[in-house]
Amino acid sequence: MLSITFYNEFSKVLDDRILLQLNSVKTLKQIQVEDLINSEWNSFLNETSKDTATLNFNVPDHILNTPGIYDLTTYEPQGNTTIGLISDYNGIPKVKIIAYNKIKNILLERAGMGSSGESYLVGSDFYMRSQSRFIPEKTPSTIAVKTQGVIDAFSGKIGRGVFKDYRGVEVYSVYSPINVSYLKLAILSEIDKSEVKAPLEELRLKLLGLTVLIMIIAIILSLFLTRIITNPIANMRKSLKIMAEGHYNETKQFVKNPSEVKDMFEALDYLKKSLQGAVVFSKELGKMNLNSHYVPKSEHDVLGKSLIKMRDKLIEFRNKENKNSINTKRQLVDGLENERRRLSRELHDGVGPLLTSLKFYIENHIQDKNQKLEMIRILDGTISEIRLMSNALMPSTIDDFGVGIALTNFVNTIKKTSGISIEFEDLTQGDVSKITKNQAINIFRIGQELVNNALKHSNANNIRISLSEFDDFISLFYFDDGIGFDLENVKLGSGITNIKERVDICNGQIYMQSETGNTTFEIELPIEL
């Protein structure tokens, strides 16, 4: 029963681990493909040349006249995978085709996918858009892939499961849609079920053989042990019979035999408790409760030591998985901040000078005084709004003067418009601060999120924030006197979720407490040496 329980629980854990591993591979390849397409698109848009790719096939006018990224495979005469970039250059369509080998190289990289694993793209017509590693000689667009995963992906779902692939073979599969501009593709990562289950089948046969062997040995031993077990009882019966006949001088055997029987039953009870503990521990491992405690009964307890070793391996795997998850979050947040920084710079360096030039033009060329004043008033308001938007996306004061000054300016701006008493205390170390640029950005975003949440939901009259820098950690403290929220029952929205993710990215800790009139957040981030 222990073997069966262990086999079933381990099978469930293995299924979950395989699907998680595939999901990590799929997510990485999806990010790489999307980054490649977006990089090609941005490079294409920044090209000043009006040169365009020569198309040897016809593309509908409504596509040529609508800038974007398209899957043009269905229009390519040979059915070769063709992803086209279309833009407008002075009213003339400008076209570029992304080299198929770039996408192919990403998807054919099979690190961490075993001998039967593969990742591939499928078009909205349910035909492949990348090479099949099982049918490499066929053109991808001639291979039909209308599996459950592809159908779910094109309905907007991100999921995983075990079902038949385009070859009719049962596979572990994870899938999700790729929606970039007008490009509609599905990406799947799969591995054959037979490959994953092979070690389990071998383990099952070994367990079956071991069970049969144990049964045979048990039958042989039972015949031998029956005499050993029954002899003390027979001796005890003989001693009782002798005593019943009045021969009390023969009671020595009677005194000895009950002790032997008692020892056997005590040993059996001890074995039962040991096995019960091992079964309970294995079930906890099956539920991934890796904090459960188990102590081997002795230095020769091989089963107990094996279970503990398995737990330690699972803990190591989970820690690596958590580390990978945090790294993924960090990359996403870094990408978001870089995009905000780019947009802020575009607004400040691109739109700002144009508006300023327009203002000079109005001052020097508009003759009607009233019309000039009205236009300048509107233009000044627009310039001010552009500056506010640029500062909200990425305050320049973070790079120039540090996160303390940036939060001070943010709080002062909110105070002018909200009517709420907001106080911020900056206790950072100024020019000698050890706060890194990434930490500064994350601290600023956390402060923004806390204040914005309070303005939207708390009905607070007073908000107090302090940022302190110590030798080995940074402390951000927040307080408001709003209506609060129930930490156990409240549905934490994206605001608090974003705060927690940024704290995780910085390897920090967060402590929340909330009740009517007293809501606090204490956040501690380690100093990165």
Side-chain angles (χ1 to χ4, degrees):
M1 291 303 297
L2 175 63
S3 298
I4 293 172
T5 301
F6 174 76
Y7 177 85
N8 290 334
E9 295 297 334
F10 186 76
S11 179
K12 293 176 184 178
V13 172
L14 181 61
D15 286 351
D16 192 45
R17 296 301 100 183
I18 289 296
L19 288 170
L20 285 175
Q21 172 69 14
L22 277 177
N23 189 61
S24 298
V25 173
K26 185 269 298 178
T27 301
L28 175 61
K29 293 187 180 299
Q30 181 177 352
I31 291 173
Q32 290 176 329
V33 170
E34 291 178 347
D35 284 348
L36 169 65
I37 294 172
N38 287 324
S39 176
E40 293 282 344
W41 175 248
N42 291 331
S43 176
F44 178 59
L45 292 180
N46 289 329
E47 290 179 359
T48 58
S49 172
K50 65 178 181 180
D51 294 338
T52 180
T54 301
L55 296 179
N56 56 359
F57 53 90
N58 294 325
V59 176
D61 291 338
H62 72 274
I63 293 179
L64 287 175
N65 295 328
T66 306
I69 306 172
Y70 293 86
D71 178 9
L72 304 179
T73 305
T74 55
Y75 304 108
E76 212 278 338
Q78 303 301 322
N80 296 320
T81 300
T82 306
I83 296 177
L85 311 177
I86 299 176
S87 71
D88 182 87
Y89 186 85
N90 294 331
I92 300 174
K94 181 181 178 182
V95 182
K96 178 181 179 181
I97 304 302
I98 297 178
Y100 169 63
N101 282 338
K102 294 182 179 180
I103 298 176
K104 175 181 173 183
N105 292 337
I106 292 174
L107 296 173
L108 289 183
E109 169 59 41
R110 298 194 295 103
M113 298 191 68
S115 61
S116 63
E118 69 169 341
S119 296
Y120 58 89
L121 297 175
V122 180
S124 57
D125 57 354
F126 295 99
Y127 283 86
M128 270 195 176
R129 292 295 186 269
S130 61
Q131 179 180 317
S132 165
R133 65 175 295 259
F134 299 104
I135 321 174
E137 69 279 1
K138 293 191 68 174
T139 302
S141 61
T142 64
I143 303 175
V145 189
K146 198 167 185 178
T147 62
Q148 187 61 48
V150 175
I151 294 172
D152 288 346
F154 281 121
S155 64
K157 297 178 182 177
I158 299 174
R160 60 185 184 177
V162 180
F163 43 75
K164 291 185 178 180
D165 68 354
Y166 61 93
R167 300 169 294 151
V169 176
E170 277 202 325
V171 295
Y172 289 85
S173 178
V174 295
Y175 51 84
S176 64
I178 293 180
N179 292 319
V180 179
S181 186
Y182 298 101
L183 183 67
K184 296 191 181 302
L185 298 173
I187 183 169
L188 297 91
S189 290
E190 298 173 342
I191 186 171
D192 288 1
K193 184 179 179 181
S194 59
E195 179 183 356
V196 176
K197 291 295 185 180
L200 280 178
E201 289 299 318
E202 183 180 349
L203 175 62
R204 185 175 66 84
L205 292 175
K206 288 183 179 179
L207 288 175
L208 181 60
L210 181 62
T211 301
V212 173
L213 178 62
I214 290 175
M215 290 177 65
I216 294 173
I217 294 175
I219 292 172
I220 296 173
L221 288 179
S222 64
L223 297 175
F224 174 75
L225 293 176
T226 297
R227 297 186 63 185
I228 298 177
I229 295 173
T230 56
N231 280 342
I233 299 176
N235 289 336
M236 182 173 60
R237 182 182 63 180
K238 181 179 179 181
S239 297
L240 289 173
K241 185 176 180 181
I242 291 172
M243 290 182 64
E245 293 175 352
H247 300 286
Y248 298 107
N249 293 332
E250 301 294 332
T251 58
K252 185 175 182 181
Q253 286 185 339
F254 176 75
V255 172
K256 179 180 179 182
N257 289 336
S259 175
E260 292 175 351
V261 175
K262 180 181 179 182
D263 289 343
M264 286 190 291
F265 279 98
E266 286 180 348
L268 181 62
D269 186 60
Y270 182 77
L271 176 61
K272 180 185 71 174
K273 291 180 180 178
S274 298
L275 290 176
Q276 285 176 339
V279 169
V280 170
F281 185 56
S282 68
K283 286 184 176 180
E284 292 298 319
L285 291 183
K287 297 175 183 177
M288 291 304 291
N289 182 12
L290 304 184
N291 295 322
S292 56
H293 184 66
Y294 180 77
V295 178
K297 300 305 178 183
S298 70
E299 62 179 5
H300 304 294
D301 185 1
V302 178
L303 175 61
K305 290 182 178 180
S306 298
L307 290 173
I308 290 176
K309 187 175 180 180
M310 180 185 296
R311 180 195 63 188
D312 294 340
K313 289 292 184 182
L314 289 173
I315 290 174
E316 180 182 353
F317 183 83
R318 185 174 66 179
N319 290 338
K320 288 182 179 179
E321 183 180 343
N322 291 337
K323 185 177 179 180
N324 290 336
S325 176
I326 290 176
N327 287 336
T328 300
K329 291 178 182 178
R330 183 178 288 117
Q331 290 173 359
L332 291 174
V333 170
D334 288 346
L336 176 62
E337 293 299 339
N338 288 335
E339 185 63 16
R340 284 176 170 172
R341 189 184 300 275
R342 186 187 69 78
L343 289 174
S344 175
R345 188 166 55 248
E346 290 292 334
L347 287 172
H348 185 272
D349 298 339
V351 179
L354 292 176
L355 292 175
T356 302
S357 298
L358 179 58
K359 180 178 178 180
F360 288 148
Y361 180 84
I362 292 171
E363 289 176 344
N364 295 319
H365 294 82
I366 300 300
Q367 302 301 324
D368 188 308
K369 184 176 182 181
N370 292 331
Q371 185 180 14
K372 179 189 294 187
L373 292 175
E374 180 64 16
M375 293 177 70
I376 290 176
R377 183 186 66 80
I378 295 174
L379 195 57
D380 286 340
T382 304
I383 292 173
S384 178
E385 188 67 24
I386 290 294
R387 287 173 179 169
L388 289 175
M389 290 171 62
S390 174
N391 194 58
L393 285 169
M394 182 58 64
S396 60
T397 51
I398 289 183
D399 295 331
D400 298 335
F401 304 104
V403 65
I405 301 300
L407 278 174
T408 300
N409 293 341
F410 170 71
V411 167
N412 290 337
T413 301
I414 296 297
K415 285 170 66 175
K416 294 176 182 177
T417 59
S418 66
I420 297 177
S421 174
I422 306 177
E423 297 296 335
F424 171 68
E425 185 177 14
D426 178 15
L427 298 177
T428 57
Q429 298 182 10
D431 294 338
V432 296
S433 174
K434 298 178 182 178
I435 300 176
T436 65
K437 182 179 293 185
N438 284 337
Q439 285 180 328
I441 292 174
N442 284 312
I443 291 171
F444 180 78
R445 297 300 181 201
I446 291 171
Q448 270 188 322
E449 199 69 62
L450 289 170
V451 174
N452 289 335
N453 280 349
L455 295 177
K456 291 178 182 178
H457 308 296
S458 73
N459 297 327
N461 294 317
N462 296 282
I463 298 175
R464 300 290 180 268
I465 306 172
S466 66
L467 177 62
S468 305
E469 181 179 356
F470 301 95
D471 290 338
D472 54 355
F473 71 95
I474 309 157
S475 174
L476 178 66
F477 177 79
Y478 169 89
F479 160 83
D480 72 52
D481 59 359
I483 59 176
F485 56 88
D486 188 341
L487 289 172
E488 295 182 358
N489 299 321
V490 71
K491 223 176 177 184
L492 298 180
S494 61
I496 294 181
T497 300
N498 290 338
I499 291 172
K500 286 186 172 182
E501 287 185 349
R502 288 184 181 274
V503 173
D504 288 341
I505 288 171
C506 295
N507 300 318
Q509 294 180 323
I510 182 171
Y511 308 94
M512 295 184 290
Q513 180 179 349
S514 184
E515 59 186 29
T516 302
N518 183 18
T519 295
T520 61
F521 285 76
E522 294 183 59
I523 297 170
E524 292 185 0
L525 308 180
I527 293 290
E528 297 179 0
L529 301 177

